[in-house]
């Protein structure tokens, strides 16, 4: 049984992620979907409307709203369960109370899913620099692969998959993940290496490294591509645009804290800015 976790906040992009998971389940009957909704613990303060600064929200108002929200979410989950109870979809729902990111991470550690599928709107400006979205943070820390979805996507439409890498890391686990993706998606796989001014090498050197990677891991049906751009992120996104790719696949280093703030992550930047689904795996 392949276990798929779908964090679900009832937004449009969350519905896109859920529908994509359903399309996977329709193609592979050994797949179990776990739909997770986190009700955020209410904040106890709010901005005063009469110029009084921070005023405490009366406890009873907070509690009434909170309980009504939980009741509504339970009803919505019940409706989803009823909708799919007579289908072939193996669906489970889970409603928890707490912090969205923290609870998603806890469920990933507890349930050990094979795949996480999340909707994402991306983030920009100060939020992107200092905080990032919950999706980005899950991409950074999840031990299992994560697919981020931003628009309506169906597994049967996955015909072109881009795997972007420098192909210097010969991790057997990453190669194994690629083979599993090839079994999931009946797609042409493009292995692309982005050549930048700050990290330039000849086309011959780049092709040789991709060839060595493919031969070492005995991968088949691969197209090797070299793409010149000003940055890795821009090159990956532009190449995906040029061939009208259906999915971008990448590894992420999983750094956190100060090191992540300084170095950033190409994979997280691509997740944030790509209009296409992105498959990531922490190496």
């Amino acid at each position: 049984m392949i276990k798929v976790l779908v964090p679900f906040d009832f937004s449009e992009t969350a519905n896109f992620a859920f529908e994509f998971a359903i399309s996977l389940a329709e193609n592979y009957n050994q797949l179990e979907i776990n739909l997770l909704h986190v009700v955020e613990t209410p904040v106890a303060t709010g901005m005063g409307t009469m110029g009084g600064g921070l005023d405490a929200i009366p406890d009873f108002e907070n509690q009434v709203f909170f309980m009504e929200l939980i009741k509504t979410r339970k009803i919505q989950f019940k409706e989803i369960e009823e909708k799919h109870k007579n289908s072939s979809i193996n669906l489970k729902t889970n409603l928890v109370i707490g912090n969205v990111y923290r609870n998603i991470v806890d469920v990933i550690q507890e349930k050990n899913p094979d795949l996480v599928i999340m909707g994402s709107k991306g983030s920009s400006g100060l939020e992107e620099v200092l905080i990032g979205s919950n999706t980005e943070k899950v991409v950074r820390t999840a031990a299992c692969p994560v697919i981020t979805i931003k628009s309506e996507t169906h597994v049967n439409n996955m015909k072109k998959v881009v795997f972007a890498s420098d192909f210097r890391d010969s991790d057997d686990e990453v190669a194994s993940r690629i083979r599993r993706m090839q079994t999931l998606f009946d797609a042409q796989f493009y292995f692309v290496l982005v050549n930048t001014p700050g990290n330039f090498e000849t086309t011959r050197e780049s092709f040789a490294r991709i060839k060595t990677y493919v031969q070492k891991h005995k991968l088949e049906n691969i197209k090797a591509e070299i793409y010149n751009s000003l940055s890795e992120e821009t090159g990956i996104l532009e190449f995906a645009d040029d061939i009208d790719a259906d999915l971008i696949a990448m590894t992420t280093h999983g750094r956190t804290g100060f090191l992540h703030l300084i170095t950033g992550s190409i994979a997280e930047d691509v997740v944030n800015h790509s209009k296409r689904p992105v498959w990531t795996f922490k190496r």
Side-chain angles (χ1 to χ4, degrees):
M1 183 66 69
I2 299 173
K3 295 185 292 183
V4 176
L5 175 67
V6 182
F8 191 75
D9 63 2
F10 296 91
S11 66
E12 182 180 42
T13 54
N15 275 296
F16 290 148
F18 182 35
E19 291 299 324
F20 180 74
I22 289 174
S23 72
L24 269 178
E26 289 172 343
N27 283 269
Y28 305 97
N29 56 16
Q30 293 299 309
L31 190 143
E32 175 188 283
I33 299 174
N34 290 276
L35 206 60
L36 170 68
H37 178 68
V38 182
V39 180
E40 285 270 14
T41 305
V43 179
T45 60
M47 292 300 295
T49 59
M50 301 301 290
L54 288 174
D55 298 327
I57 298 176
D59 283 347
F60 76 91
E61 288 186 13
N62 216 8
Q63 291 172 10
V64 168
F65 172 80
F66 190 56
M67 297 308 295
E68 284 298 318
L69 179 60
I70 293 174
K71 181 180 178 180
T72 299
R73 294 311 191 205
K74 286 182 177 180
I75 293 172
Q76 289 173 314
F77 257 7
K78 190 66 177 178
E79 290 172 350
I80 292 173
E81 292 169 354
E82 286 294 317
K83 179 180 178 180
H84 295 282
K85 72 175 184 178
N86 294 322
S87 71
S88 60
I89 306 301
N90 187 349
L91 175 66
K92 296 182 179 180
T93 59
N94 184 16
L95 189 148
V96 298
I97 299 169
N99 172 268
V100 172
Y101 167 67
R102 187 69 262 162
N103 281 102
I104 292 173
V105 170
D106 288 345
V107 171
I108 290 173
Q109 292 175 346
E110 178 187 346
K111 302 294 185 181
N112 193 27
D114 300 289
L115 177 67
V116 174
I117 302 176
M118 290 187 72
S120 173
K121 291 181 180 179
S123 56
S124 60
L126 190 62
E127 180 189 19
E128 179 181 0
V129 173
L130 297 181
I131 304 171
S133 66
N134 286 318
T135 305
E136 282 181 81
K137 288 185 281 187
V138 171
V139 163
R140 187 186 316 152
T141 58
C144 64
V146 179
I147 295 179
T148 56
I149 303 286
K150 292 185 180 179
S151 60
E152 188 173 358
T153 308
H154 195 283
V155 65
N156 291 340
N157 295 330
M158 291 289 173
K159 299 304 179 185
K160 296 178 183 177
V161 175
V162 172
F163 176 60
S165 174
D166 60 9
F167 300 96
R168 297 182 187 277
D169 187 352
S170 296
D171 192 329
D172 291 335
E173 178 64 17
V174 174
S176 175
R177 297 286 182 180
I178 292 170
R179 278 191 289 272
R180 292 179 203 175
M181 287 178 64
Q182 288 181 307
T183 63
L184 282 176
F185 308 130
D186 182 21
Q188 174 65 62
F189 276 68
Y190 295 78
F191 278 19
V192 60
L193 189 154
V194 177
N195 213 359
T196 63
N199 192 27
F200 177 81
E201 67 180 8
T202 67
T203 299
R204 177 177 289 187
E205 290 172 317
S206 297
F207 272 126
R209 196 156 67 251
I210 296 176
K211 182 178 180 180
T212 298
Y213 186 95
V214 170
Q215 289 178 339
K216 176 182 178 180
H217 297 292
K218 298 181 174 60
L219 296 165
E220 299 178 346
N221 301 319
I222 302 295
K223 283 188 177 182
E225 300 282 352
I226 311 300
Y227 196 86
N228 298 321
S229 188
L230 296 177
S231 71
E232 288 89 347
E233 177 205 337
T234 301
I236 293 165
L237 295 174
E238 288 179 345
F239 178 76
D241 281 342
D242 289 349
I243 69 166
D244 194 23
D246 301 299
L247 178 73
I248 298 171
M250 301 182 66
T251 59
T252 181
H253 51 55
R255 299 188 186 110
T256 58
F258 183 72
L259 185 59
H260 176 267
L261 184 62
I262 296 299
T263 62
S265 167
I266 296 171
E268 288 172 48
D269 288 341
V270 170
V271 166
N272 197 29
H273 299 132
S274 174
K275 62 185 180 183
R276 293 173 166 77
V278 182
W279 177 98
T280 53
F281 175 67
K282 188 177 75 172
R283 63 187 180 194

